Every structure is written in C-alpha cells, then in structure tokens.
Amino acid sequence: MPRIKQDEPDTHRAMHVVNHLRTLIENGDLLPGDKIPPEREFARSLKVSRASLRTGIGYLAAMGVMKVRHGVGTFIADGPAEFGKTSFSLMGVLHGFQSWQMFEARLILESHLAALAAERGKQEHHAALADEVAEMFGAMDNPSDYIVHDLLFHRIVSQASGNPILAALIETIMSALYDKRRKTVERSIDLRESAEMHREIYRAIRARKPEEARRLMEEHLRMAETAQGMESAADRKAAKTARMGKTARVKPSSITS
Amino acid sequence: MPRIKQDEPDTHRAMHVVNHLRTLIENGDLLPGDKIPPEREFARSLKVSRASLRTGIGYLAAMGVMKVRHGVGTFIADGPAEFGKTSFSLMGVLHGFQSWQMFEARLILESHLAALAAERGKQEHHAALADEVAEMFGAMDNPSDYIVHDLLFHRIVSQASGNPILAALIETIMSALYDKRRKTVERSIDLRESAEMHREIYRAIRARKPEEARRLMEEHLRMAETAQGMESAADRKAAKTARMGKTARVKPSSITS
DNA sequence: ATATATACTGTGGTCTGACCTCTGCGCGGT
DNA sequence: ACCGCGCAGAGGTCAGACCACAGTATATAT
C-alpha cells in the first residue's frame, strides 16, 4: 500500500524511502529503539542510491522519528514523544510568535494538564513530584539549580496527565520559553513563594482535586508570567509595526558566508 | 555567534548550514517567501559541498521552515505556521497515540480557541464563519462536501483566536484526526444537527460570548466524538496488551524491499 | 498576427564511488 | 588485570556527471 504524495518533499525517491520506513513502523516491523540496516546495505536493498536513502532518513531524523548516531548506526526514536523543538523556535522567529502567545498556550495546556494529573496521577508521579518540590525548597538560593527542578516538576505533571500528546505539546512550548528565559537575566523571582505554590499544586494533585490543581496551576503561571517581567505589552505593540517588509528578494552579499 | 550543538544532527557540516540559515532568518536577512541562492552557488559560498548543503536544507524543509520547489528554487516558508503533520502521524503510530487522547487534546484546545475567538474575532472572521455555516447547510446531503466546510469552519475559528501557536497545534491534531476519519466509513452523522451546532457556535462568537462559545464547542466535540463511533473504549483496552515487545533487533528479511 | 509547439536555461534531484571521521571492541603488550 | 593501539563497521563529506522539472524565449504553423 504505497503512500504517495506526502507533503513537502516534492521528490519521490527520498519519499519512497520515507514511506517504506513508515510502513515498516506502522506494521510493527520496526519498534522504538530498533536499529535499521547499514546505509549501504539498506540502500542496495531498496534499490536507491545511498544519497537518496540518506535524504529520506534525514527527513525522518529531522522530525525526531529516527535517531542517527555517527559511527554507530541509525535507530528508531525511543524516548518520549517530542516534536521539533528546534522547529518551534525557528517557526517562532519566522512567524513572530510572541511571548504572550506562548504563555497563553502554556496556560491553557498546563492548567488542564494539572487537572488531568490530579485525576489520573499514579503514586510514582506523586513521589516524583514530592521529590522535586523538596529539591526546589533546597535550591532556593541557587536560581539555576532551582529552575531545573521547576522544569522537572512541570514535566512530571505533564506525564502524570496520561496524555502523551498534550505532554509533547507543552514540552515543545516550554523548551521554547526556556530558551527565551535563559537569555534574559535571572530575574529576581521570589523562589520561596514559587516553591510554595508548587507544593500546593502537588498537594492538590495528590489529593485528587482536579479543579483545585487547575486553579492553582493557572494562578502560578499567571504570576510567573508577570513576575518574570514578560514584556507582553511591549511585544504586543511592537508586533504591529514590524512585519510589513513583504517584498521578496535575495541579498546574496549578506547571505554569503 | 555560531550556534553549536543543535539537537539531533550530530554532524557538523549540515549543522553549520542550518545555523547559518537560522541566523540569517533571525537577523531578518531572510524573510518569509524569500528565495535562497541556487544550491551550487550557495554551497560554494558557504564552502561546503552541495551534498552537505542539501542535507542542511533538507533538515529545515522537513520542519516546514523552508520550502523546496523542484526546478524553481528553495524558499523560506511563508504560509501559516504549520508543524510537521507528517511528523505527528508518524509519532502517533510510534508512541501509540490513541483516538481518545487526540480528542482530549482537541477538546481542550478547541474549546479555548472558541472562547478566544469570541473575544477577539474580527468582522472578517464572522463573515467567513457565516459563509461556512451556510455552505454546511447547503451540503447536508453530501457528506464529503460537508466535511470540507466543517474543517474550514474550525480552521477559521482557530485563526480568529488570534493565537497562531494554538492555531498551529490544533491544525496538526485535526489533520491527524482527519486522516483517521477518512479511512473509516463515512458514518451516518446527523448533518443537520451538526450544522445547527456550528451555527450556534458561530452566533456565540459573533455575539462575543466567550463562555457560551466555549461550552457549545465542547458540547459539539463531545457529541462528534461519540457520534463518529470513536472506539475509545476499545482502544484504551487494547493499549495495555500491546506495547510489550521491548526487545530490539532487526529482521532484515522483512525490511528488505 | 496569433497561437501552438519546441528548444533552451536555470534549478533542484539522483547517482557513483572514493575518501574522511567517529565508535566500539578486540588483541596484544606491560 | 590494566592500558593502549589499531582494525572494522557505520555514518559524514566530497566531487562531478547526469537526470527531471518549470518557466520562458523562440520558432513555426495557421
């Protein structure tokens, strides 16, 4: 059942490779973690040049479906679902994503995530959350350490939600947000207050109180947004003035290395 | 400012190309719709082989940041933000995304989208929505036509939300869901009732009643989920039994073309 | 003069086959 | 038992020729 006409690759050789692999994955012939045959060999068996095979693999690798390790081999991704974070940030600059939009998306997703985590979270998640909260209290005098456990906490919540799709989405957004945050100065957030909010969220989740978890998470994020000096207002204004150089052409001089 | 260590491509030549382009984009030297120099020329100027250049471009193209048109040239993507839909479906089979999870994600995102659309929708959106509703009523005896306008309606709502990030996310999920739906039989949904629900949503949006729009959309989606014979229950059960062939190896025989 | 072929040019797509680099691991020396 | 050297396997890069497609200019027929 040859699947033709994917989306962008207007090419067909590479597409053939992609579809072949896709089929193998869908049929369960290839499972996460599996290694595919060496390029030369695989290329021969598929009757395409190694170059084309590589193009196809590159396509899948770029999407995070496959993982290529120089000198070792090519494997099917096995980690948690993960959309192109690189893609997201690129798309961001390209389409002028703004902080307030990211925050809005995060707020919506994560508040629901917290509610779901409260409904479905398992003991292991509760334990992991407790650990992170503890770590946060212990790292209140070390912002860079603190932020790590902050992220971890939110990641665990997303896993506890039981919906890998939502988890993957929020993960993508968070990483983009993290990139931005890392660039700005380590603002003087009140880490103690932050830690306490996390603790409350944790308690709500453990107590299986979805609505409360949802509300707390929402509150926490709103606070984080303003506290971290989101220039949302400024962004919003700047947005209009920008984005109006629609003419298209190339300036080889500036592009040339 | 060389950005090293992207994510997956452990290679450096191709990465060099990606970073170079990334920088050009971030600096505004390349705007959406722009055409980059011909491969041969560009490769020479970057001092890499054409093959490596192509690898890098392929990476960006796979993420939807660039658009390659055979016989024409390579351009910076200019359409609306769009994450790898292909990626999503691949990831789906790979991580066993299930329908109920997709629906859950859709429900959360789209209900908020409706609320935001009610808050921020502009006249143009209202008009477009009205058009689609009209088309839906006119295509009630033609399911395949109907579904097109159904999708269009939801897409317009996402645009009216004013948050391109959320719009892109829901778009990705919807396309995955659409793929699934297309495969199953054209269920006998009550198109008239569906059309009327859309009309009500439209009215709530036009009347700028966020909460009502939110509620209606939620209701609509829940109904759609059950009406379309979601095998959520079955899925859920099947999920557990599956996914336990963790051993990893290759069966060249079955992989070979 | 208009319209339909046809040829040309520019650009991406594929192929070949040789060579480079990295990883992992085994063999041998200490 | 330990360390290090080197081989083998796998991916990464390269060069250059050639193929395929799209758009345009040109020639030819009506």
Side-chain angles (χ1 to χ4, degrees), chain A residues 10-180:
Chain A
D10 50 37
T11 166
H12 48 303
R13 298 292 192 163
M15 236 19 240
H16 172 56
V17 175
V18 171
N19 284 329
H20 186 74
L21 283 169
R22 182 195 175 99
T23 306
L24 287 176
I25 291 175
E26 288 178 345
N27 289 356
D29 291 322
L30 283 176
L31 296 172
D34 279 5
K35 178 174 177 295
I36 69 174
E39 294 186 348
R40 290 154 176 101
E41 183 184 325
F42 201 25
R44 213 176 333 113
S45 79
L46 286 185
K47 308 232 186 69
V48 299
S49 74
R50 197 183 149 207
S52 296
L53 174 72
R54 285 178 110 293
T55 302
I57 289 177
Y59 182 73
L60 292 169
M63 299 192 303
V65 175
M66 303 192 70
K67 218 77 170 181
V68 182
R69 295 177 55 195
H70 189 173
V72 183
T74 304
F75 308 78
I76 303 292
D78 59 338
E82 175 182 305
F83 298 104
K85 300 176 181 174
T86 311
S87 158
F88 192 85
S89 55
L90 263 296
M91 295 290 271
V93 303
L94 206 47
H95 295 83
F97 286 174
Q98 286 146 10
S99 322
W100 69 267
Q101 295 172 333
M102 292 200 240
F103 259 96
E104 185 171 272
R106 183 186 178 186
L107 185 64
I108 291 173
L109 287 172
E110 206 152 6
S111 59
H112 278 273
L113 240 21
L116 291 175
E119 284 178 19
R120 306 171 184 160
K122 294 179 173 42
Q123 281 196 339
E124 49 188 294
H125 298 128
H126 296 164
L129 288 175
D131 285 352
E132 294 310 324
V133 170
E135 294 283 358
M136 286 168 95
F137 273 103
M140 284 188 302
D141 53 353
N142 185 337
S144 66
D145 262 24
Y146 183 90
I147 207 171
V148 173
H149 294 106
D150 187 337
L151 281 176
L152 236 36
F153 180 91
H154 289 278
R155 185 169 297 163
I156 295 169
V157 171
S158 72
Q159 286 169 208
S161 78
N163 189 326
I165 299 175
L166 290 170
L169 296 181
I170 199 58
E171 179 71 20
T172 301
I173 294 176
M174 294 240 308
S175 85
L177 235 26
Y178 181 69
D179 266 12
K180 277 209 163 192

Side-chain angles (χ1 to χ4, degrees), chain A residues 7-8 35 61 104 120 250, chain B residues 8 35 61 86 104 120 250:
Chain A
D7 43 313
E8 352 154 359
K35 178 174 177 295
E104 185 171 272
R120 306 171 184 160
V250 168
Chain B
E8 349 153 2
K35 178 173 177 293
T86 310
E104 186 170 273
R120 305 171 185 161
V250 168

Side-chain angles (χ1 to χ4, degrees), chain B residues 157-245:
Chain B
V157 170
S158 74
Q159 286 169 207
S161 78
N163 189 325
I165 299 175
L166 291 171
L169 296 181
I170 199 59
E171 179 71 19
T172 301
I173 294 176
M174 293 239 310
S175 84
L177 234 26
Y178 181 69
D179 266 13
K180 277 207 161 191
R181 196 189 311 182
R182 194 172 44 183
K183 285 175 189 166
T184 69
V185 196
E186 295 280 358
R187 305 277 178 169
S188 58
I189 325 171
D190 185 336
L191 297 186
R192 167 164 289 282
E193 186 176 7
S194 172
E196 278 169 4
M197 293 189 84
H198 283 92
R199 187 177 53 190
E200 282 186 62
I201 294 172
Y202 155 63
R203 284 176 175 161
I205 290 176
R206 194 187 50 183
R208 300 209 177 287
K209 295 181 178 173
E211 276 316 308
E212 189 170 336
R214 193 184 182 302
R215 187 181 56 71
L216 288 169
M217 180 62 89
E218 207 169 318
E219 190 180 323
H220 165 54
L221 293 179
R222 282 192 202 289
M223 171 161 288
E225 178 174 6
T226 59
Q228 274 176 19
M230 283 289 80
E231 334 67 65
S232 24
D235 268 14
R236 220 156 183 164
K237 217 169 284 180
K240 291 183 182 173
T241 69
R243 177 147 51 283
M244 30 194 50

